[in-house]
Amino acid sequence: MAVNNRGNIRRRLTVLLASAAVCVNGMYAAPAHAQVSPSPLTPAVADDARMLLRANELVYNQDVQRVTATGGVQIYYNRYRMVAQRVEYDQQSGRVTAVGNIELIEPDGNRIYADELDVTDDFGQGFLNSLRVETTDNTRLAAESAERLPGDLMVLHNGVYTACLPCAEKPGRAPLWQVKAQRVIQNGKAQTIRLENARFELFGMPIGFLPFLVVPDQTVERKSGFLFPTMSLDDNLGFGLTVPYYHVFSPHMDATLSPTYYTGQGLLLQGEIRNRFETGQHTFRFAGIDQRNPDSFTAGSSDANADTRLMAASEARFEINPRWTFGWDVMIQSDNNFSKTYSLDSVNDDVFRNEVYLTGLGERNHFDMRAFYFDIQDTAEEKTAERRQAVVYPSLDYRYIAPEPVAGGELSITTNLTNLSRREEDFTLEGNSDRYHGLDGSYSRFTTEAEWKRTFTTSNGLLLTPLLAARGDALRHNFDTPSIGTNYSYTGLEDSGGYGRYMLTAGLEARYPFLLSTETSSHIIEPIAQLYVRPDEPMAGGLPNEDAQSFVFDATTLFDRDKFSGFDRIEGGTRANLGLRYTGSFDNGVGLRAVFGQSYHLAGQNSFATDDLVNAGANSGLESDVSDYVGMAGIDLPQGFYLSAGGRFDEKTFEVQRTDAEFGYTTARVSGSLVYTQIEAQPEYGSSSDTDLLQSSTSFRLNENWSVSGSAVWDLNDQGVIRRGVGLTYADECTIFTLSYTDEPAGATNANDWSIGARVTFRTLGDIDLGSALN
């Protein structure tokens, strides 16, 4: 073989490898709405790239200018690998052919199989016979033949596409789903793939047919086009069909328009416009409908009294710099239940929280400022529940920890600013007690607290942690004294105006952990004692309580310095907390943990025995000088089981006041949990009867693909089911199917007492949703 022909042969064989890739690369495309990073059809050839060729025989016929490699041909060039029985290049016709069990492995791992390949050396024309493609993401494409035509066109004849793996036991069986097309045409210039006479088959049976379908090829990051339709069913709305359309405006802006036609209410127009910027992103959502039959809704409800219904929402997040973030999430609608009734995307929660925020995170500090407006979505015509919600403008939290020790200890500063108003008094009668969750008017409070603590370790292992804290509050309110009430009317609220208060704390914590070890286990027992000396809480119960209404005394809060949940109340007086903490581990994988203790009010006024607008400390177990006992214990087993239980027990009779118990398990086939909650009657807190709830959730895997799950909540006192649901799921490498059923009592925010939902996901194609909600 002449030396000057070697470069020619290398170039022609390179054409062979790349041509096969080009012929099929465009055939496994993404859906129109997918965002796929563009990639070149062939990798760039390195200047020093070398071709390796192995064959039983290599012949160059100079008379007819033909190069032939036969017998187990193996070619490696520019990260392509190919094997074939025979490879031939005809210099006169300019054609490269390969025959016999052709397998081409592309640089990205995709595998292309064919019986015969014939292409021109300029990529202009060519064909493949018995084509089969396997990609690295387990998608598969097959065709009787493929040809490349002038004008950068590729045509596959009788193509089949699927993302399902073949059955290992019966490879000839049809996959779970596949798409068959008479012709698949790739237009390289338009960057599209057109499927002609396409039909979708499920379990080998055709269930859908399209005369044609056009999707972008794999070189397109985003392309305008229709997305998969979705369906819904509702007794008030009727059957709904949504046909989304995706449109690209620019590399940084796109939109989805999702018109839905409801047989009961007419045309709902819903859309979403998305923008990306260098430092963040913004999404604008809108929706509107002119209801055709509002009388189908419950008479007198906000749904029935609305004809034209509109919604607009904006959501944004911007990274100002690596530490600071600014954003918002706001929504406005024509009535208070439009978004929830029509399940509008991202704005259909029972309570939609409008907020604007600015956050900062440093190595030793954290800043968070937010403004809130709560949109209550219910069926009431009047927005009473919404007017009772606080409008917060703003709330600020800041925490700083000194980078260097101060007097050998840690110094931290905590700051909170709250500024809010309410348009209507939030009053409820619960049991035999009136509770004022909020009053109409405005309220502002600024709080700063500095805390210093340091831990000393004695020679015998005793850990001593002294603590000093100083807090100051400045606040103003113009709330009026509550005037509504039946059995209880709170008169202890200070008059409107400005107030100041402070709290000084000196504390000492002593811990003495000691280790007990055996040949098969280790145990840590840690007695803990705390003492906090403080003055009485200034104006206890006389100031508004907006953020310290939720209060539970249990083992998790036993050793908290201030057991109130927020800043509006301050724990005052001298208090001691005593308890024992235990942790054990065994060589067989069993783990044990437990906490038990009690709290003692030693001097001064007991803040938990002082009334306020919501009776925050009533029936808490801390309202007496000697608190109830609290404890928690748990065990973890290596087989995937765990059991934990916590309780509060009367300090005199040891009668159970509250119980929380949970049993969970996770095995290869079964997982779930069983949770029991028991709370004794708390008449001063608005609960006149005992509460006993049992919650269960279980998931059972029937086999490799099928699983069933269920959940339920029982009220053991009323001997009734509050909520229950069951779900069935099928999942494999290409398909996910879910079917669910739930029911619960209808209420002011829930017009339906049971619902059914279904969803099918075909990998690489899209989702089909079907849901219903029927009375």
Side-chain angles (χ1 to χ4, degrees):
M1 182 185 298
V3 175
N4 60 355
N5 286 322
R6 293 177 182 172
N8 226 15
I9 295 172
R10 178 182 299 179
R11 181 171 64 86
R12 304 312 180 189
L13 291 175
T14 302
V15 169
L16 170 69
L17 299 175
S19 296
V22 171
C23 285
V24 298
N25 234 336
M27 296 302 106
Y28 28 92
H33 61 283
Q35 305 216 359
V36 181
S37 299
S39 60
L41 291 177
T42 57
V45 180
D47 294 337
D48 58 348
R50 295 184 178 184
M51 184 191 71
L52 302 178
L53 185 147
R54 176 181 294 177
N56 293 339
E57 184 178 8
L58 182 65
V59 177
Y60 176 59
N61 190 328
Q62 190 169 9
D63 295 334
V64 296
Q65 295 183 320
R66 180 176 297 167
V67 181
T68 304
T70 58
V73 181
Q74 302 178 31
I75 302 174
Y76 177 85
Y77 183 72
N78 198 31
R79 294 186 291 136
Y80 283 95
R81 290 175 291 168
M82 192 186 80
V83 297
Q85 292 300 314
R86 178 185 178 90
V87 177
E88 183 177 288
Y89 170 58
D90 190 329
Q91 289 180 299
Q92 291 182 347
S93 64
R95 302 196 73 88
V96 180
T97 61
V99 294
N101 298 325
I102 301 171
E103 179 181 357
L104 172 66
I105 303 177
E106 297 181 80
D108 57 6
N110 295 333
R111 294 175 178 267
I112 302 169
Y113 302 90
D115 289 341
E116 183 179 357
L117 182 147
D118 187 341
V119 294
T120 58
D121 60 5
D122 62 354
F123 296 88
Q125 301 180 49
F127 69 88
L128 290 161
N129 277 338
S130 301
L131 171 70
R132 184 163 55 92
V133 181
E134 297 179 0
T135 68
T136 55
D137 64 350
N138 287 329
T139 58
R140 283 161 168 74
L141 174 70
E144 289 184 359
S145 63
E147 58 181 320
R148 185 169 181 83
L149 303 175
D152 205 7
L153 294 177
M154 273 295 307
V155 179
L156 270 70
H157 299 281
N158 295 327
V160 180
Y161 171 82
T162 183
C164 300
L165 295 175
C167 179
E169 299 178 356
K170 297 180 179 180
R173 177 188 295 176
L176 181 63
W177 64 263
Q178 61 185 1
V179 179
K180 290 184 176 180
Q182 191 174 24
R183 290 209 314 168
V184 181
I185 304 172
Q186 181 199 17
N187 189 324
K189 294 181 179 179
Q191 297 177 306
T192 60
I193 296 175
R194 178 185 175 95
L195 290 84
E196 296 182 347
N197 295 327
R199 68 179 184 268
F200 183 84
E201 294 185 356
L202 189 64
F203 297 107
M205 301 295 293
I207 63 171
F209 173 80
L210 286 174
F212 68 91
L213 176 66
V214 179
V215 297
D217 67 19
Q218 90 290 345
T219 65
V220 177
E221 182 177 2
R222 301 175 304 163
K223 191 173 184 64
S224 302
F226 287 97
L227 308 182
F228 267 79
T230 61
M231 294 168 284
S232 63
L233 182 64
D234 188 278
D235 58 336
N236 295 322
L237 306 181
F239 175 78
L241 177 64
T242 304
V243 183
Y245 178 78
Y246 175 78
H247 185 76
V248 178
F249 293 101
S250 70
H252 310 293
M253 180 179 179
D254 57 22
T256 303
L257 185 64
S258 304
T260 303
Y261 182 78
Y262 291 103
T263 57
Q265 298 299 338
L267 180 64
L268 169 72
L269 189 62
Q270 181 180 184
E272 182 174 294
I273 303 173
R274 296 168 292 271
N275 285 273
R276 283 190 175 274
F277 305 93
E278 184 177 354
T279 59
Q281 60 186 18
H282 173 255
T283 300
F284 175 73
R285 301 181 179 92
F286 61 90
I289 189 174
D290 187 6
Q291 293 190 143
R292 186 170 62 187
N293 186 23
D295 293 336
S296 64
F297 296 100
T298 303
S301 66
S302 59
D303 298 297
N305 294 334
D307 293 326
T308 301
R309 312 182 76 173
L310 303 171
M311 184 279 301
S314 174
E315 182 179 4
R317 179 182 176 88
F318 297 95
E319 304 289 341
I320 302 174
N321 57 40
R323 292 188 176 184
W324 288 93
T325 301
F326 171 69
W328 65 83
D329 187 4
V330 296
M331 182 266 287
I332 186 172
Q333 56 185 347
S334 56
D335 60 88
N336 59 319
N337 209 39
F338 174 39
S339 298
K340 183 182 178 184
T341 300
Y342 285 87
S343 300
L344 302 183
D345 292 342
S346 305
V347 293
N348 60 348
D349 293 337
D350 291 347
V351 180
F352 182 83
R353 186 176 68 182
N354 295 270
E355 66 175 332
V356 181
Y357 58 88
L358 174 66
T359 63
L361 180 63
E363 295 182 359
R364 308 284 293 183
N365 55 6
H366 175 257
F367 176 94
D368 188 296
M369 182 171 65
R370 298 173 184 265
F372 298 102
Y373 180 87
F374 299 95
D375 194 329
I376 308 299
Q377 304 199 63
D378 57 20
T379 59
E381 171 65 17
E382 300 295 332
K383 297 183 178 181
T384 303
E386 188 171 313
R387 293 175 59 85
R388 289 178 174 177
Q389 298 298 309
V391 181
V392 183
Y393 42 81
S395 172
L396 183 150
D397 287 285
Y398 177 75
R399 180 170 173 80
Y400 170 80
I401 300 176
E404 301 294 334
V406 176
E410 179 186 87
L411 176 65
S412 62
I413 298 176
T414 302
T415 299
N416 175 265
L417 170 66
T418 297
N419 187 24
L420 59 85
S421 67
R422 186 177 283 101
R423 293 168 290 175
E424 188 170 320
E425 187 176 81
D426 187 2
F427 160 81
T428 58
L429 174 61
E430 300 180 3
N432 297 321
S433 177
D434 297 331
R435 302 183 68 227
Y436 300 87
H437 302 282
L439 303 175
D440 59 324
S442 61
Y443 171 59
S444 300
R445 175 185 44 75
F446 178 77
T447 300
T448 296
E449 181 179 62
E451 179 189 78
W452 174 90
K453 59 183 178 181
R454 180 180 179 183
T455 299
F456 299 89
T457 304
T458 65
S459 57
N460 59 359
L462 177 66
L463 303 178
L464 297 174
T465 304
L467 176 145
L468 297 174
R471 166 176 167 168
D473 296 84
L475 58 93
R476 171 178 290 274
H477 80 90
N478 67 349
F479 295 147
D480 295 329
T481 301
S483 58
I484 303 175
T486 53
N487 300 321
Y488 167 79
S489 182
Y490 189 72
T491 59
L493 184 67
E494 299 287 342
D495 294 336
S496 296
Y499 297 90
R501 63 180 179 181
Y502 71 95
M503 178 59 65
L504 301 175
T505 303
L508 179 64
E509 178 184 81
R511 294 183 292 127
Y512 189 67
F514 54 93
L515 175 66
L516 300 177
S517 297
T518 67
E519 294 182 356
T520 59
S521 65
S522 61
H523 310 267
I524 299 176
I525 301 175
E526 186 178 28
I528 303 175
Q530 295 175 328
L531 177 65
Y532 297 111
V533 179
R534 296 168 290 213
D536 293 343
E537 178 186 4
M539 295 171 285
L543 298 174
N545 181 1
E546 294 283 346
D547 69 354
Q549 299 184 9
S550 175
F551 176 69
V552 175
F553 174 53
D554 57 18
T556 63
T557 59
L558 171 63
F559 298 110
D560 289 350
R561 173 166 62 89
D562 191 333
K563 296 178 176 58
F564 282 113
S565 58
F567 292 94
D568 286 336
R569 291 295 306 269
I570 309 174
E571 183 178 346
T574 300
R575 179 172 292 275
N577 303 313
L578 299 179
L580 188 70
R581 181 181 294 149
Y582 163 77
T583 303
S585 61
F586 296 81
D587 292 347
N588 59 3
V590 176
L592 300 175
R593 61 191 185 280
V595 176
F596 187 81
Q598 195 175 27
S599 183
Y600 304 88
H601 178 72
L602 302 180
Q605 184 183 35
N606 187 347
S607 295
F608 303 104
T610 304
D611 291 338
D612 67 4
L613 288 165
V614 294
N615 293 333
N619 307 120
S620 65
L622 289 167
E623 66 273 19
S624 58
D625 288 344
V626 179
S627 79
D628 290 343
Y629 295 99
V630 291
M632 182 277 294
I635 180 172
D636 300 302
L637 301 178
Q639 295 82 4
F641 297 88
Y642 68 89
L643 175 65
S644 63
R648 179 165 63 87
F649 311 93
D650 185 88
E651 51 94 11
K652 295 180 180 178
T653 64
F654 216 71
E655 180 182 356
V656 177
Q657 301 296 308
R658 179 185 178 100
T659 304
D660 294 286
E662 180 177 5
F663 171 70
Y665 45 94
T666 301
T667 64
R669 281 185 170 269
V670 184
S671 63
S673 64
L674 189 66
V675 179
Y676 171 70
T677 301
Q678 176 268 331
I679 305 175
E680 288 293 300
Q682 298 176 318
E684 293 184 47
Y685 203 61
S687 178
S688 58
S689 60
D690 296 346
T691 300
D692 288 270
L693 297 178
L694 184 64
Q695 305 177 60
S696 173
S697 63
T698 303
S699 177
F700 178 68
R701 188 175 180 180
L702 302 175
N703 55 33
E704 183 181 358
N705 304 116
W706 289 94
S707 63
V708 62
S709 60
S711 63
V713 180
W714 289 274
D715 188 327
L716 300 182
N717 289 332
D718 295 339
Q719 297 183 352
V721 178
I722 299 176
R723 179 183 175 91
R724 59 190 168 191
V726 64
L728 181 67
T729 300
Y730 172 86
D732 60 22
E733 77 284 347
C734 65
T735 309
I736 300 176
F737 168 75
T738 59
L739 178 67
S740 63
Y741 166 86
T742 59
D743 68 7
E744 60 181 324
T749 61
N750 178 33
N752 306 288
D753 55 11
W754 65 275
S755 64
I756 296 175
R759 183 186 183 112
V760 183
T761 300
F762 300 108
R763 188 172 68 88
T764 74
L765 293 183
D767 302 331
I768 297 177
D769 294 319
L770 177 63
S772 69
L774 305 175
N775 284 335

